[in-house]
Amino acid sequence: TQLLEQSPQFLSIQEGENLTVYCNSSSVFSSLQWYRQEPGEGPVLLVTVVTGGEVKKLKRLTFQFGDARKDSSLHITAAQPGDTGLYLCALFGGYQKVTFGTGTKLQVIP
Amino acid sequence: DVKVTQSSRYLVKRTGEKVFLECVQDMDHENMFWYRQDPGLGLRLIYFSYDVKMKEKGDIPEGYSVSREKKERFSLILESASTNQTSMYLCASRGTGGFEQYFGPGTRLTVT
């Protein structure tokens, strides 16, 4: 079973600060996704990365896929309270299955 | 606007009861999934279905069963609820060949 570890598990920062969360796999993966889940809601897809070394930007969020395709990071610049939520990385396994990471819970304090 | 709906947002059941959780999607997706979400464990796949009447076990199927009689509806059944099944249950759907899973809002089940 492929494992996805995310760090840190919890993060509480002030509005305007920068942060990075990490996702690491026990083995190489072909593509990886990042989801955000707001309290009381289901996760929503933010981005899919498929190429080693790929960098994608979504406004203040920057996603990077490691060259060795075993890790990924999400960097948020100038965090805002609306960024508060649970950030989940996920990867496609065999036959329609998606494996989710353990999650990073982010709180941005105004 | 795509939508996945779940029958209840909150549910309280007693130990030993049979529990039905319903999920409906309006996107004509072939694939549907049931996950449970617990703090520190992320989302764990219980069962998934890639077509009507077809189902596959996920990572933690013990104590659960599923039913998919119609393409748009996927039901999760707890045959005899136990306290360790207290959790958030999330349903999702995805089109074949698609990357994105669309999630419902979740059902928070408490078994007392």
Side-chain angles (χ1 to χ4, degrees):
Chain A
T1 302
Q2 199 161 12
L3 299 176
L4 279 181
E5 293 287 336
Q6 289 187 241
S7 61
Q9 191 173 359
F10 299 100
L11 199 52
S12 181
I13 62 171
Q14 295 290 330
E15 181 176 359
E17 291 184 8
N18 301 331
L19 67 113
T20 302
V21 300
Y22 300 92
C23 175
N24 291 284
S25 170
S26 56
S27 56
V28 173
F29 45 85
S30 58
S31 64
L32 183 131
Q33 299 180 317
W34 285 94
Y35 286 79
R36 178 171 64 210
Q37 183 178 19
E38 297 183 10
E41 300 297 329
V44 175
L45 181 67
L46 296 173
V47 75
T48 300
V49 287
V50 297
T51 306
E54 183 175 4
V55 177
K56 282 192 174 179
K57 292 195 173 186
L58 187 66
K59 297 183 180 178
R60 294 175 293 100
L61 278 61
T62 301
F63 304 86
Q64 185 153 12
F65 196 9
D67 290 336
R69 309 172 72 90
K70 294 181 68 175
D71 60 277
S72 180
S73 64
L74 158 60
H75 182 79
I76 301 179
T77 304
Q80 298 178 1
D83 296 326
T84 292
L86 179 69
Y87 289 81
L88 295 157
C89 62
L91 57 85
F92 282 99
Y95 199 40
Q96 307 294 342
K97 283 178 61 174
V98 174
T99 300
F100 284 86
T102 49
T104 293
K105 193 169 185 178
L106 171 66
Q107 181 185 33
V108 182
I109 302 166
Chain B
D1 193 20
V2 298
K3 188 173 280 189
V4 178
T5 56
Q6 295 185 228
S7 49
S8 305
R9 293 299 293 264
Y10 300 93
L11 209 52
V12 180
K13 295 292 183 181
R14 293 191 179 276
T15 301
E17 279 193 82
K18 191 169 186 176
V19 181
F20 293 87
L21 302 182
E22 302 282 336
C23 175
V24 178
Q25 52 98 0
D26 65 359
M27 296 163 283
D28 202 36
H29 283 166
E30 293 80 10
N31 306 294
M32 297 187 73
F33 307 83
W34 275 106
Y35 295 90
R36 64 177 283 177
Q37 183 175 30
D38 301 288
L41 296 177
L43 275 71
R44 293 179 292 167
L45 182 64
I46 304 171
Y47 267 97
F48 66 100
S49 169
Y50 53 91
D51 202 351
V52 174
K53 297 191 185 295
M54 306 304 288
K55 60 186 179 184
E56 292 285 339
K57 292 180 180 179
D59 299 317
I60 52 164
E62 295 78 20
Y64 304 94
S65 62
V66 291
S67 173
R68 191 156 179 213
E69 296 296 320
K70 293 185 177 181
K71 190 175 185 179
E72 67 271 18
R73 189 179 298 268
F74 192 33
S75 302
L76 180 69
I77 304 152
L78 286 65
E79 295 291 342
S80 178
S82 64
T83 55
N84 63 12
Q85 292 178 309
T86 291
S87 187
M88 170 69 85
Y89 289 88
L90 289 161
C91 174
S93 72
R94 188 174 81 231
T96 297
F99 276 113
E100 183 170 1
Q101 287 195 129
Y102 295 87
F103 283 86
T107 296
R108 185 164 292 283
L109 172 67
T110 301
V111 182
T112 61

